[in-house]
Amino acid sequence: MHTQKHHKIDLDTDYPCPCRRRGRLIPIALTEAFGCNRCQQIFVVEENGCVIEQLATTYPYKRSWRWTGHQWNVVQPGLGDSYLPLALGILLVLLSIWLPVALHSPSGASIMLWAIVALVLAVLPALMVWLAYRR
């Protein structure tokens, strides 16, 4: 079993790509960055040389990894850096507003309409979280 101690990243060494198993990270001359020879991604060295961060505009949050000496470990973003608190807040507001309004509605047909509207609005935050966390 390999140690989980994090090592400083050497800017003159090539590493396996954290995105793909067969790619190699090769240092980019005169920068503190690496480029993958397979997936063409660029990774910048951050946090005193212990973390690499993927430069990609397709992700809503930045992905980072730490080197253990044998493999890359994903650096998990904090709760404030994710969309989960925002999605839960939207869901809470929707439930506190839409549910009482739907329950106090006089006719049965409008209860169905309110339920459908509440369901659609509750699915939007779930969709937002799913899009944020998918690869």
Side-chain angles (χ1 to χ4, degrees):
M1 179 174 214
H2 300 296
T3 178
Q4 293 298 317
K5 182 180 175 189
H6 301 296
H7 296 274
K8 190 165 183 162
I9 298 168
D10 183 11
L11 295 174
D12 297 323
T13 305
D14 65 328
Y15 295 95
C17 180
C19 295
R20 299 181 188 249
R21 299 280 180 205
R22 295 186 181 133
R24 298 294 299 171
L25 295 183
I26 300 169
I28 298 174
L30 302 174
T31 66
E32 291 187 353
F34 291 90
C36 179
N37 64 351
R38 284 274 183 150
C39 66
Q40 305 302 315
Q41 293 291 323
I42 297 176
F43 300 87
V44 178
V45 178
E46 299 286 335
E47 289 186 27
N48 299 325
C50 294
V51 173
I52 61 168
E53 184 176 278
Q54 184 178 16
L55 294 180
T57 58
T58 58
Y59 293 110
Y61 60 93
K62 295 179 182 180
R63 298 185 63 198
S64 301
W65 294 268
R66 292 186 191 275
W67 181 245
T68 64
H70 303 283
Q71 67 182 8
W72 293 105
N73 285 342
V74 176
V75 176
Q76 299 296 333
L79 189 60
D81 297 336
S82 68
Y83 287 106
L84 184 61
L86 179 63
L88 290 176
I90 290 171
L91 188 61
L92 182 66
V93 168
L94 288 175
L95 286 176
S96 65
I97 293 173
W98 289 100
L99 191 59
V101 170
L103 291 176
H104 293 297
S105 179
S107 70
S110 67
I111 288 178
M112 265 316 239
L113 178 67
W114 282 109
I116 291 171
V117 169
L119 182 66
V120 167
L121 291 175
V123 167
L124 288 177
L127 180 65
M128 185 174 66
V129 169
W130 178 73
L131 288 173
Y133 284 106
R134 73 181 176 101
R135 275 179 65 111

